[in-house]
Amino acid sequence: MGIQFEAFVVCEKTGRLVPTGYVLKQDRIEASPKPADDFSFKCPACEEMHTWSLDDATVRLVAR
């Protein structure tokens, strides 16, 4: 399974750190350069859609 991380970003409207619902593998986070993919999710803090990239994310370990 490998090491996995949950991605969080700051809500543009509330300023709160919120979960994106995405879980990423370690190799994706450590890639250099980071993939330029954009991800979208419905924010649990403001209920609006946000778009984010890996450069925007804060990650937390969820599985080893």
Side-chain angles (χ1 to χ4, degrees):
M1 182 154 120
I3 298 174
Q4 296 182 337
F5 298 87
E6 183 176 8
F8 294 79
V9 294
V10 175
C11 171
E12 301 159 357
K13 193 170 188 177
T14 67
R16 290 177 42 201
L17 190 65
V18 295
T20 64
Y22 286 84
V23 175
L24 306 165
K25 293 182 181 179
Q26 184 175 7
D27 60 342
R28 180 123 177 159
I29 293 168
E30 293 177 344
S32 181
K34 291 198 182 327
D37 300 341
D38 285 335
F39 304 91
S40 295
F41 75 107
K42 185 174 180 181
C43 178
C46 71
E47 299 193 0
E48 293 183 8
M49 293 299 292
H50 295 314
T51 301
W52 61 280
S53 70
L54 288 176
D55 286 335
D56 302 325
T58 299
V59 295
R60 181 185 315 164
L61 179 66
V62 292
R64 283 187 180 243

XYZ file of all heavy atoms in Angstrom:
503
model
N 0.827 -1.201 0.000
C 0.000 0.000 0.000
C 0.864 1.255 0.000
O 0.579 2.193 -0.679
C -0.942 -0.024 1.186
C -1.865 1.148 1.247
S -3.356 0.739 2.130
C -3.303 1.881 3.439
N 1.949 1.286 0.760
C 2.834 2.436 0.782
C 2.318 3.549 1.678
O 1.222 3.486 2.223
N 3.147 4.555 1.820
C 2.791 5.700 2.661
C 1.814 6.589 1.900
O 2.023 6.896 0.732
C 4.056 6.477 3.064
C 4.972 5.571 3.884
C 3.696 7.723 3.839
C 6.307 6.185 4.214
N 0.748 7.016 2.589
C -0.261 7.880 1.976
C -0.504 9.097 2.853
O -0.383 9.035 4.080
C -1.566 7.122 1.782
C -1.443 5.975 0.807
C -2.761 5.269 0.598
O -3.659 5.322 1.431
N -2.890 4.605 -0.531
N -0.873 10.187 2.185
C -1.103 11.456 2.868
C -2.445 12.039 2.447
O -2.814 11.960 1.278
C -0.004 12.458 2.499
C 1.365 12.030 2.922
C 2.132 11.227 2.101
C 1.878 12.430 4.129
C 3.402 10.824 2.478
C 3.151 12.035 4.527
C 3.907 11.223 3.700
N -3.153 12.642 3.395
C -4.391 13.355 3.082
C -4.031 14.821 2.831
O -3.219 15.401 3.559
C -5.376 13.260 4.242
C -6.705 13.911 3.941
C -7.719 13.728 5.044
O -7.372 13.233 6.126
O -8.881 14.094 4.820
N -4.623 15.402 1.793
C -4.331 16.785 1.417
C -5.343 17.747 2.032
O -6.551 17.490 2.021
C -4.347 16.929 -0.100
N -4.830 18.849 2.558
C -5.635 19.929 3.117
C -5.239 21.232 2.433
O -4.074 21.406 2.065
C -5.372 20.088 4.622
C -5.819 18.926 5.451
C -5.060 17.771 5.534
C -7.010 18.979 6.145
C -5.470 16.695 6.296
C -7.422 17.908 6.913
C -6.656 16.760 6.996
N -6.183 22.146 2.289
C -5.888 23.483 1.769
C -6.626 24.519 2.610
O -7.563 24.194 3.340
C -6.283 23.649 0.279
C -5.436 22.760 -0.606
C -7.746 23.401 0.054
N -6.214 25.758 2.479
C -6.879 26.848 3.185
C -8.070 27.312 2.356
O -7.927 27.623 1.172
C -5.898 28.019 3.437
C -6.623 29.204 4.052
C -4.754 27.563 4.328
N -9.243 27.351 2.976
C -10.458 27.846 2.313
C -10.262 29.319 1.982
O -9.894 30.120 2.847
C -11.669 27.659 3.226
S -13.176 28.468 2.622
N -10.505 29.680 0.735
C -10.326 31.059 0.277
C -11.296 32.023 0.948
O -11.016 33.210 1.071
C -10.510 31.113 -1.232
C -9.546 30.224 -1.986
C -10.022 29.888 -3.391
O -11.132 30.282 -3.781
O -9.263 29.206 -4.089
N -12.442 31.521 1.383
C -13.478 32.381 1.949
C -13.362 32.525 3.464
O -13.503 33.616 3.996
C -14.852 31.821 1.582
C -16.002 32.748 1.834
C -17.262 32.193 1.207
C -18.382 33.208 1.292
N -19.591 32.732 0.632
N -13.084 31.394 4.169
C -13.067 31.411 5.630
C -11.676 31.462 6.238
O -11.530 31.778 7.413
C -13.776 30.164 6.196
O -12.993 29.001 5.863
C -15.184 30.029 5.667
N -10.658 31.100 5.449
C -9.303 31.054 5.967
C -8.998 29.805 6.788
O -7.913 29.678 7.335
N -9.951 28.872 6.876
C -9.767 27.634 7.649
C -9.042 26.584 6.816
O -9.229 26.508 5.608
C -11.121 27.075 8.084
C -11.807 27.915 9.128
C -13.183 27.402 9.510
N -13.232 25.955 9.668
C -14.357 25.249 9.589
N -15.512 25.836 9.370
N -14.324 23.940 9.744
N -8.247 25.758 7.490
C -7.607 24.615 6.849
C -8.656 23.516 6.748
O -9.236 23.109 7.752
C -6.404 24.149 7.672
C -5.502 23.115 7.023
C -4.829 23.695 5.787
C -4.466 22.628 8.016
N -8.914 23.043 5.525
C -9.986 22.065 5.301
C -9.472 20.859 4.522
O -8.570 20.983 3.693
C -11.179 22.694 4.545
C -11.847 23.781 5.381
C -10.750 23.258 3.206
N -10.053 19.682 4.788
C -9.665 18.504 4.017
C -10.221 18.590 2.600
O -11.331 19.074 2.383
C -10.304 17.351 4.789
C -11.466 17.965 5.501
C -11.069 19.379 5.796
N -9.435 18.105 1.643
C -9.872 18.133 0.249
C -10.595 16.851 -0.154
O -11.235 16.808 -1.189
C -8.670 18.301 -0.693
O -7.823 17.147 -0.565
C -7.892 19.555 -0.385
N -10.412 15.802 0.652
C -10.979 14.503 0.301
C -10.045 13.674 -0.571
O -10.372 12.561 -0.950
N -8.857 14.196 -0.872
C -7.885 13.486 -1.692
C -6.812 12.855 -0.806
O -6.316 13.487 0.120
C -7.195 14.431 -2.675
C -8.073 14.840 -3.831
C -8.965 15.900 -3.717
C -8.017 14.161 -5.036
C -9.775 16.278 -4.779
C -8.821 14.535 -6.107
C -9.695 15.589 -5.961
O -10.493 15.954 -7.012
N -6.467 11.604 -1.116
C -5.357 10.912 -0.467
C -4.302 10.667 -1.542
O -4.610 10.171 -2.624
C -5.828 9.588 0.171
C -4.649 8.826 0.741
C -6.864 9.863 1.260
N -3.062 11.053 -1.233
C -1.976 11.007 -2.209
C -0.868 10.080 -1.740
O -0.575 10.005 -0.543
C -1.408 12.413 -2.410
C -2.427 13.485 -2.771
C -1.823 14.867 -2.594
C -2.906 13.290 -4.196
N -0.241 9.402 -2.667
C 0.910 8.554 -2.359
C 2.161 9.413 -2.216
O 2.268 10.491 -2.806
C 1.101 7.508 -3.453
C -0.020 6.509 -3.507
C 0.236 5.474 -4.574
C -0.916 4.481 -4.623
N -0.724 3.480 -5.661
N 3.115 8.905 -1.461
C 4.339 9.635 -1.167
C 5.094 10.051 -2.424
O 5.589 11.171 -2.509
C 5.238 8.787 -0.276
C 6.497 9.498 0.156
C 7.311 8.675 1.141
O 7.007 7.529 1.406
N 8.342 9.286 1.675
N 5.169 9.177 -3.438
C 5.933 9.524 -4.642
C 5.338 10.712 -5.377
O 6.042 11.494 -6.002
C 6.074 8.323 -5.573
C 4.756 7.760 -6.070
O 3.705 8.045 -5.474
O 4.786 7.009 -7.061
N 4.042 10.894 -5.300
C 3.390 12.038 -5.953
C 3.747 13.339 -5.244
O 3.968 14.371 -5.875
C 1.878 11.828 -5.949
C 1.115 12.919 -6.592
C 0.294 12.380 -7.689
N -0.497 13.466 -8.240
C -1.001 13.438 -9.416
N -0.841 12.389 -10.167
N -1.687 14.442 -9.864
N 3.831 13.285 -3.935
C 4.152 14.482 -3.151
C 5.617 14.868 -3.312
O 5.960 16.041 -3.369
C 3.818 14.240 -1.668
C 2.299 14.106 -1.507
C 4.340 15.356 -0.779
C 1.868 13.598 -0.173
N 6.495 13.861 -3.390
C 7.934 14.117 -3.468
C 8.437 14.370 -4.884
O 9.608 14.652 -5.068
C 8.689 12.939 -2.852
C 8.472 12.814 -1.366
C 9.164 11.604 -0.775
O 9.556 10.694 -1.531
O 9.300 11.571 0.455
N 7.578 14.263 -5.881
C 7.997 14.450 -7.269
C 8.619 15.828 -7.465
O 8.186 16.816 -6.876
C 6.806 14.286 -8.204
N 9.643 15.871 -8.284
C 10.287 17.143 -8.599
C 10.491 17.212 -10.109
O 11.208 16.383 -10.661
C 11.625 17.239 -7.880
O 12.231 18.464 -8.160
N 9.888 18.146 -10.794
C 8.934 19.107 -10.243
C 7.603 18.441 -9.913
O 7.290 17.370 -10.420
C 8.757 20.122 -11.379
C 9.021 19.336 -12.615
C 10.055 18.296 -12.239
N 6.835 19.118 -9.064
C 5.525 18.591 -8.701
C 4.610 18.601 -9.925
O 4.699 19.489 -10.754
C 4.901 19.433 -7.594
C 5.604 19.299 -6.265
C 4.731 19.781 -5.151
C 5.363 19.734 -3.794
N 6.281 18.713 -3.507
N 3.723 17.592 -10.034
C 2.769 17.597 -11.149
C 1.942 18.877 -11.129
O 1.596 19.394 -10.070
C 1.891 16.377 -10.864
C 2.701 15.522 -9.958
C 3.569 16.452 -9.162
N 1.627 19.397 -12.285
C 0.889 20.655 -12.400
C -0.624 20.445 -12.392
O -1.372 21.373 -12.678
C 1.303 21.385 -13.673
N -1.061 19.239 -12.036
C -2.496 18.956 -12.022
C -3.230 19.877 -11.064
O -2.728 20.210 -9.991
C -2.758 17.513 -11.573
C -2.103 16.492 -12.472
O -1.755 16.837 -13.607
O -1.945 15.348 -12.023
N -4.433 20.271 -11.454
C -5.330 20.994 -10.555
C -6.434 20.038 -10.136
O -6.895 19.216 -10.925
C -5.938 22.215 -11.239
C -4.940 23.362 -11.369
O -3.990 23.425 -10.570
O -5.123 24.197 -12.265
N -6.845 20.133 -8.882
C -7.901 19.298 -8.333
C -9.028 20.206 -7.866
O -8.792 21.341 -7.472
C -7.385 18.498 -7.132
C -6.186 17.650 -7.434
C -4.904 18.150 -7.262
C -6.342 16.352 -7.887
C -3.790 17.367 -7.529
C -5.239 15.558 -8.157
C -3.961 16.068 -7.978
N -10.250 19.706 -7.887
C -11.402 20.471 -7.406
C -12.119 19.691 -6.317
O -12.112 18.464 -6.318
C -12.384 20.747 -8.542
O -11.792 21.573 -9.511
N -12.734 20.411 -5.396
C -13.526 19.781 -4.344
C -14.531 20.781 -3.794
O -14.344 21.989 -3.913
C -12.637 19.240 -3.220
C -12.084 20.307 -2.305
C -12.585 20.447 -1.021
C -11.078 21.154 -2.722
C -12.081 21.424 -0.172
C -10.565 22.131 -1.890
C -11.064 22.265 -0.603
N -15.588 20.260 -3.189
C -16.567 21.114 -2.516
C -16.083 21.333 -1.092
O -15.925 20.390 -0.316
C -17.953 20.481 -2.513
C -19.009 21.392 -1.919
C -20.391 20.800 -2.055
C -21.418 21.737 -1.443
N -22.766 21.183 -1.541
N -15.836 22.560 -0.745
C -15.266 22.926 0.544
C -16.271 22.685 1.676
O -17.405 23.177 1.613
C -14.860 24.391 0.512
S -14.189 24.998 2.066
N -15.868 21.958 2.725
C -16.775 21.727 3.844
C -16.986 22.968 4.712
O -17.954 23.038 5.464
C -16.093 20.613 4.645
C -14.650 20.708 4.284
C -14.613 21.230 2.877
N -16.116 23.977 4.594
C -16.249 25.188 5.406
C -17.230 26.195 4.805
O -18.047 26.777 5.519
C -14.892 25.846 5.599
N -17.185 26.384 3.479
C -18.036 27.401 2.847
C -19.002 26.817 1.820
O -19.838 27.529 1.289
C -17.178 28.488 2.200
S -16.308 27.959 0.710
N -18.846 25.523 1.527
C -19.690 24.795 0.585
C -19.583 25.285 -0.863
O -20.463 25.029 -1.666
C -21.132 24.745 1.071
C -21.248 24.035 2.414
C -22.660 23.682 2.791
O -23.588 23.977 2.027
O -22.822 23.102 3.865
N -18.499 25.987 -1.188
C -18.233 26.400 -2.563
C -17.180 25.468 -3.159
O -16.459 24.783 -2.438
C -17.745 27.849 -2.600
C -18.811 28.842 -2.186
C -18.335 30.281 -2.290
O -17.228 30.530 -2.831
O -19.074 31.157 -1.822
N -17.075 25.453 -4.474
C -16.055 24.660 -5.148
C -14.727 25.423 -5.132
O -14.707 26.627 -5.392
C -16.463 24.366 -6.593
C -17.657 23.450 -6.726
S -17.410 21.812 -6.011
C -16.184 21.120 -7.111
N -13.652 24.718 -4.783
C -12.309 25.286 -4.825
C -11.440 24.435 -5.736
O -11.640 23.226 -5.849
C -11.660 25.298 -3.439
C -12.319 26.186 -2.436
N -12.699 27.480 -2.700
C -12.669 25.963 -1.149
C -13.240 28.014 -1.624
N -13.237 27.103 -0.656
N -10.464 25.043 -6.354
C -9.473 24.352 -7.152
C -8.134 24.539 -6.459
O -7.835 25.631 -5.968
C -9.418 24.930 -8.573
O -10.716 24.786 -9.169
C -8.407 24.223 -9.426
N -7.332 23.472 -6.419
C -6.036 23.544 -5.757
C -5.027 22.678 -6.493
O -5.380 21.838 -7.302
C -6.143 23.107 -4.297
C -6.615 21.687 -4.110
C -7.901 21.242 -4.165
C -5.805 20.534 -3.895
N -7.947 19.886 -3.980
C -6.669 19.421 -3.806
C -4.442 20.323 -3.767
C -6.198 18.133 -3.600
C -3.979 19.035 -3.550
C -4.858 17.963 -3.470
N -3.751 22.919 -6.220
C -2.664 22.108 -6.773
C -1.831 21.591 -5.612
O -2.010 21.998 -4.460
C -1.805 22.941 -7.720
O -1.071 23.896 -6.983
N -0.888 20.711 -5.901
C -0.034 20.171 -4.839
C 0.775 21.262 -4.148
O 1.084 21.156 -2.963
C 0.895 19.095 -5.403
C 0.208 17.784 -5.766
C 1.204 16.830 -6.412
C -0.423 17.137 -4.552
N 1.119 22.315 -4.869
C 1.854 23.421 -4.245
C 1.019 24.143 -3.188
O 1.568 24.760 -2.281
C 2.319 24.426 -5.299
C 3.481 23.899 -6.122
O 4.227 23.036 -5.627
O 3.626 24.339 -7.264
N -0.303 24.078 -3.298
C -1.202 24.735 -2.342
C -1.442 23.896 -1.092
O -1.911 24.413 -0.083
C -2.578 24.983 -2.977
C -2.519 25.824 -4.234
O -1.674 26.735 -4.309
O -3.319 25.558 -5.151
N -1.167 22.601 -1.162
C -1.613 21.663 -0.142
C -0.672 21.536 1.048
O 0.537 21.639 0.925
C -1.812 20.285 -0.768
N -1.292 21.277 2.185
C -0.629 20.807 3.386
C -1.043 19.352 3.514
O -2.206 19.030 3.277
C -1.115 21.592 4.628
O -0.800 22.972 4.434
C -0.492 21.072 5.890
N -0.118 18.473 3.856
C -0.465 17.049 3.900
C -0.265 16.476 5.299
O 0.553 16.965 6.086
C 0.347 16.229 2.878
C -0.007 16.642 1.464
C 1.832 16.337 3.108
N -1.069 15.441 5.591
C -0.999 14.734 6.863
C -0.924 13.239 6.573
O -1.692 12.718 5.770
C -2.246 15.035 7.700
C -2.228 14.354 9.049
C -3.502 14.534 9.838
N -3.994 15.890 9.825
C -5.218 16.229 10.177
N -6.087 15.314 10.570
N -5.603 17.481 10.160
N -0.034 12.551 7.255
C 0.114 11.119 7.105
C -1.158 10.411 7.530
O -1.693 10.690 8.607
C 1.296 10.619 7.956
C 1.585 9.138 7.931
C 2.044 8.691 6.559
C 2.622 8.799 8.990
N -1.661 9.507 6.683
C -2.872 8.749 7.030
C -2.659 7.246 7.009
O -3.407 6.513 7.637
C -4.081 9.091 6.126
C -4.547 10.506 6.382
C -3.788 8.869 4.667
N -1.652 6.727 6.299
C -1.428 5.274 6.245
C 0.016 4.971 5.923
O 0.647 5.667 5.127
C -2.335 4.652 5.199
N 0.505 3.891 6.509
C 1.861 3.399 6.209
C 1.751 2.048 5.572
O 0.942 1.260 5.844
C 2.692 3.290 7.474
C 3.165 4.633 7.908
C 4.145 4.440 9.080
N 4.591 5.726 9.474
C 5.834 6.125 9.397
N 6.757 5.335 8.965
N 6.175 7.317 9.768
